[in-house]
Amino acid sequence: MRRLMRRTGAAGPCEVMLPWGRRIRLDVRDNIGAVVARLGVYDLIVTETIWRLTGSGETTIDVGANVGCISAVFAERVGLGGRVISFEPHPVLYRELSDNLRTLQSQGIQCALEPMRLALGAATGVLPLHVPVDFQSHRGESTLAELSHLEASKQTVDVTVERFDDVLGSTAIGVMKIDVEGFEKNVFLGAAEAFAANRVRDCVFEEHGD
């Protein structure tokens, strides 16, 4: 009944309660924000999978964190002594991600929350992040890959790219989530040493066919 009665017609950012009782701020003009405001989570299957895989006290990685919906799941699960590292290169989304992580800590989250304004890829450098023309309503679709559905967009933002292996070094990872709109293969190439050494126990990622 709470979901049915919840107002989703707000004109912009609003505070939303997640199913486990924490609050974050989302823009309900965006497709992700609108779904979370109505249902509590954006992607139930991914959220449930990450909830079950993540253990207490672990280090977890959220690559393509957006405004922090999955980072919030990690934060709830790792608890005291745990660590959540969230990568988001888009300047607007990174600012909102950082605000949400601070909000979670103000609500009693005891793990370390570390937002990083970086993209992960196969090599260190600077690349153009392609932003959709309808960014306000599809804020999770910016990408470093050349995807056909963004060909009409001329908007780009230069972002810093680093290799996972360079940033994380020998850190042992419990769960790593990757959702970077077609750039996933590049993230894996930059994490070759970590995967070869079995430093990532579980990885949940979006697959684009290559």
Side-chain angles (χ1 to χ4, degrees), residues 13-140:
C14 65
E15 195 173 68
V16 173
M17 181 178 287
L18 300 174
W20 44 94
R22 311 286 185 188
R23 292 183 177 274
I24 61 174
R25 195 165 180 81
L26 299 168
D27 192 329
V28 296
R29 294 170 297 185
D30 174 50
N31 63 328
I32 294 175
V35 171
V36 176
R38 187 171 68 253
L39 300 178
V41 297
Y42 175 64
D43 190 323
L44 178 60
I45 294 173
V46 173
T47 303
E48 180 71 19
T49 300
I50 288 174
W51 186 275
R52 294 186 184 210
L53 288 175
T54 305
S56 178
E58 293 185 330
T59 294
T60 56
I61 307 295
D62 188 357
V63 185
N66 199 274
V67 299
C69 293
I70 294 299
S71 293
V73 178
F74 281 140
E76 195 69 25
R77 294 298 281 166
V78 299
L80 183 65
R83 184 182 180 194
V84 181
I85 307 172
S86 307
F87 294 88
E88 176 53 55
H90 194 288
V92 173
L93 299 180
Y94 172 78
R95 184 168 60 250
E96 294 180 28
L97 167 68
S98 300
D99 289 343
N100 277 330
L101 296 186
R102 283 192 293 270
T103 298
L104 288 171
Q105 289 196 307
S106 72
Q107 296 172 71
I109 288 290
Q110 296 179 303
C111 66
L113 299 175
E114 304 172 30
M116 302 192 74
R117 188 179 164 184
L118 286 176
L120 295 181
T124 298
V126 175
L127 289 175
L129 181 70
H130 300 278
V131 181
V133 290
D134 56 348
F135 174 74
Q136 183 171 284
S137 56
H138 293 89
R139 304 198 308 161

Side-chain angles (χ1 to χ4, degrees), residues 121-166:
T124 298
V126 175
L127 289 175
L129 181 70
H130 300 278
V131 181
V133 290
D134 56 348
F135 174 74
Q136 183 171 284
S137 56
H138 293 89
R139 304 198 308 161
E141 293 186 3
S142 297
T143 181
L144 291 170
E146 295 289 347
L147 295 183
S148 59
H149 72 279
L150 290 182
E151 284 179 357
S153 175
K154 303 299 181 185
Q155 302 177 51
T156 61
V157 178
D158 286 342
V159 299
T160 301
V161 182
E162 294 194 22
R163 297 172 66 250
F164 179 94
D165 287 329
D166 295 335

